[in-house]
Amino acid sequence: MRGFLLGLAIVGLLIGIGLTTSQPDESGAARPAGPRPAAVIVAAVQHQQFSDAIEALGTTRALESVDLSPTVTERVSEILFADGSYVEAGQLLIRLDDAVERAELAAARARKREKFRKLERVGQLLEQRNASAAELDIAVAELDAASAAVELAEAALLDRSLRAPFAGHLGLRRFSVGALVQPGDVLITIDAIATLNVDFTVPASRLAGLEASLPLRVRSAAFPGHEFQAELSAIGTQVDPVTRSLNARAILANADLHLRPGMFVELEILAARRDSLAVPESAILARSDQRLLFIHADGLAQRRVVETGSRRNGMVEVIRGISAGEEVVIHGGAKLSDRQSVDVIAVHDGTATVAELLRKAAR
């Protein structure tokens, strides 16, 4: 009886073991049982441009800027512009009272014509031997003096006209017709702002990474969420012995005139640009002092220790540890172990968020 009961116990144990170690698959055959595959979302390793960013604070400056002032004391007779308007180089903006100067110019031109006719007469007489060479020299000198007087009168008339020295936008005028102005009075400011200079300082310790034509990203609190593109144009020659920094300047295209001179801006200089492998930030896991991720291959999760670099727009630069074309786990990897079975429920290609992919997979 005791032997019979022992036999039943052994048979039951074997049956129990069989039930826990195998189960039928779809064909009816037994297959090994194990933990259920972990549901994950994967993304392909891709190439992306990275750089070592140098951050700085700067101020915008007009590419060209000038305060127009008269060179003579006179009354304003005509204003030929509207406040804030765009003007071309050489465009007449302000005319001062020039009646006297026009009359003097007319008189100087008349004297020049008289001296020219006298020179012609002396020349004819000299050919007929009725005049001397000395008389001819006097006539030439008188004509030269009359010509100089015309140029002087033209310059005096020109001083009564203020023109735009370059193309740009005008500020707000500070005078009216009839006002008496004098040298040193700022009548109007003209700025070329379709292109701006951005002046800033950088630590001397980052000098090795700076060179002309480096791209910059520029941000202004006046336009949140918007980035302006600029280019490093010049680097100062001297390092400030107190701050250990040096001046630098960038050129910024401002055709839409969003930015104005004197604005405070934040800059990011994109130094040491390079093409690197990149993965989404969610793929990187921190374990102790290591950075690792999981690669999906043949239905299994493979643990990889990686070396990371810069971060940009939700992507992480991976210096070593992965290869182009591999798939990394970006969701569901926190509880994975090496060689664990996984079930890929979605592939992230950037067209939808992870949350959207999860909702779609749950339907």
Side-chain angles (χ1 to χ4, degrees):
M1 183 66 178
R2 180 179 298 176
F4 176 73
L5 292 175
L6 181 60
L8 287 176
I10 293 173
V11 170
L13 179 61
L14 292 174
I15 293 174
I17 292 174
L19 290 174
T20 59
T21 58
S22 64
Q23 55 185 0
D25 57 17
E26 294 179 355
S27 63
R31 63 176 177 83
R36 184 176 180 179
V40 298
I41 296 177
V42 300
V45 177
Q46 57 183 278
H47 285 272
Q48 188 166 313
Q49 286 286 329
F50 285 92
S51 60
D52 296 333
I54 302 174
E55 296 183 348
L57 302 176
T59 302
T60 57
R61 313 282 186 194
L63 186 65
E64 302 288 350
S65 179
V66 68
D67 294 331
L68 291 184
S69 299
T71 58
V72 297
T73 299
E74 194 55 82
R75 293 193 180 276
V76 176
S77 64
E78 194 173 5
I79 298 174
L80 303 169
F81 65 87
D83 290 355
S85 61
Y86 175 81
V87 294
E88 297 288 350
Q91 182 175 331
L92 180 60
L93 304 178
I94 303 165
R95 179 176 286 122
L96 304 181
D97 187 0
D98 57 4
V100 174
E101 287 68 31
R102 288 182 181 276
E104 290 179 348
L105 177 59
R109 286 173 174 171
R111 287 193 294 271
K112 180 179 178 180
R113 288 192 296 269
E114 177 188 349
K115 297 303 180 182
F116 181 75
R117 288 193 295 268
K118 179 180 179 179
L119 177 62
E120 287 183 327
R121 290 195 300 270
V122 172
Q124 292 172 358
L125 293 173
L126 184 62
E127 290 178 356
Q128 299 170 5
R129 298 181 182 276
N130 292 324
S132 65
E135 292 175 315
L136 179 64
D137 291 341
I138 293 173
V140 170
E142 289 177 346
L143 178 60
D144 289 342
S147 298
V150 169
E151 293 178 358
L152 185 61
E154 289 175 341
L157 182 61
L158 189 62
D159 286 340
R160 270 69 181 174
S161 299
L162 277 70
R163 298 178 180 272
F166 49 81
H169 287 79
L170 299 174
L172 306 179
R173 63 184 174 96
R174 310 168 191 179
F175 64 99
S176 300
V177 172
L180 181 65
V181 296
Q182 56 188 356
D185 292 345
V186 177
L187 303 185
I188 192 70
T189 298
I190 178 171
D191 295 299
I193 58 176
T195 301
L196 294 176
N197 287 326
V198 183
D199 292 343
F200 58 98
T201 61
V202 290
S205 59
R206 305 302 299 270
L207 181 60
L210 298 180
E211 58 183 11
S213 300
L214 278 179
L216 292 87
R217 299 192 188 99
V218 180
R219 292 179 291 273
S220 170
F223 300 94
H226 184 77
E227 280 189 352
F228 301 89
Q229 304 303 313
E231 183 178 282
L232 186 63
S233 61
I235 304 169
T237 58
Q238 295 184 358
V239 175
D240 189 312
V242 177
T243 63
R244 300 300 176 186
S245 62
L246 69 164
N247 296 323
R249 173 170 291 173
I251 295 292
L252 184 148
N254 190 42
D256 50 14
L257 307 184
H258 282 336
L259 300 179
R260 298 301 173 98
M263 294 182 69
F264 175 81
V265 292
E266 299 175 357
L267 302 96
E268 186 180 4
I269 309 169
L270 307 181
R273 302 182 73 190
R274 57 195 178 275
D275 184 75
S276 303
L277 296 178
V279 299
E281 288 181 333
S282 56
I284 303 297
L285 303 173
R287 301 283 173 84
S288 184
D289 59 345
Q290 293 182 327
R291 295 291 182 270
L292 58 89
L293 51 71
F294 285 95
I295 297 292
H296 166 250
D298 300 326
L300 298 176
Q302 299 180 4
R303 182 176 181 272
R304 295 274 185 88
V305 176
V306 296
E307 180 181 348
T308 60
S310 300
R311 296 173 182 257
R312 176 172 178 253
N313 297 333
M315 301 296 288
V316 179
E317 177 186 21
V318 180
I319 299 173
R320 60 175 58 88
I322 58 175
S323 301
E326 291 184 309
E327 290 184 336
V328 296
V329 176
I330 65 169
H331 177 78
K335 297 182 180 180
L336 286 179
S337 58
D338 193 27
R339 309 297 298 178
Q340 181 178 342
S341 298
V342 294
D343 179 19
V344 178
I345 60 174
V347 177
H348 184 263
D349 59 2
T351 59
T353 65
V354 172
E356 291 171 341
L357 293 175
L358 289 172
R359 285 195 295 269
K360 185 177 180 180
R363 296 192 185 114

